Amino acid sequence: MPNYQLVYFNGRGRAELCRLIFHAAGVPFEDIRLDHTKGEWPGEWKAKCPFGQLPVLVVDGKMLAQSKAAARYLAREFNLAGKTSWDQARADMFIDEFDDISTELYKISHEKDEAKKAELREKFNADTLPRHLGYLENLLKENNGGNGYFVGDSLTWAGLGIANVYDLLGGTDAPFAKFPLLLALAKRVRENPKVAEYLKTRAQTSF
């Protein structure tokens, strides 16, 4: 088996989907969390990274940058990408949709003007998030009436993605109140024995 290292900061952020894939697959990896307050970033790492940023996945000493590229590679390696070409494309589609949601959240968290931040958050909660979750709920219904997974009949990285979105939205059921099938899927994935064990022991971080 290859030697895997995942390099990021001490937070969930853009590395968490990769961590979830590793744990769901039961594949060991070195979870390297850099502390910029101790000079570990940029340190020696920034110059090594293909695009000068984190996260990076290191496989037998070879680096792969960009969080979605790394997660997609792992999903394919561990049979979590989808069983058919169509299912793989659909899983990719859902992952991109989750990225749209997280991008909006990052805009809010990085806004320095408090009045503007409040305005962005209000719009996100009232319009942006319900719209995106509505799309996802309807698409989920297309596969087994919404009582299974986004694609196929087994767990893929798309399912892990919605479990990650659940955390990004605060780790509560409230944002999913009007989207019961989506909430049920997120919980079903989070209750997967390997995923649940990781979530139970996962370090509590600020992001």
Side-chain angles (χ1 to χ4, degrees), residues 93 106 111 146 190:
M93 175 185 77
Y106 290 138
E111 176 58 54
R190 292 168 68 84

Side-chain angles (χ1 to χ4, degrees), residues 6 12 15 29 44 54-55 67 82-83 89 97 105-106 113 118 120 148 150 159 167 175 177-179 183 199 203:
L6 182 63
R12 298 185 305 275
F29 70 105
E44 64 180 43
L54 297 176
S67 56
K83 294 177 182 178
E97 172 66 2
L105 283 169
Y106 290 138
D113 184 288
L120 290 172
F150 279 122
D167 276 336
K178 295 181 180 179
F179 311 100
L183 176 60
L199 295 178

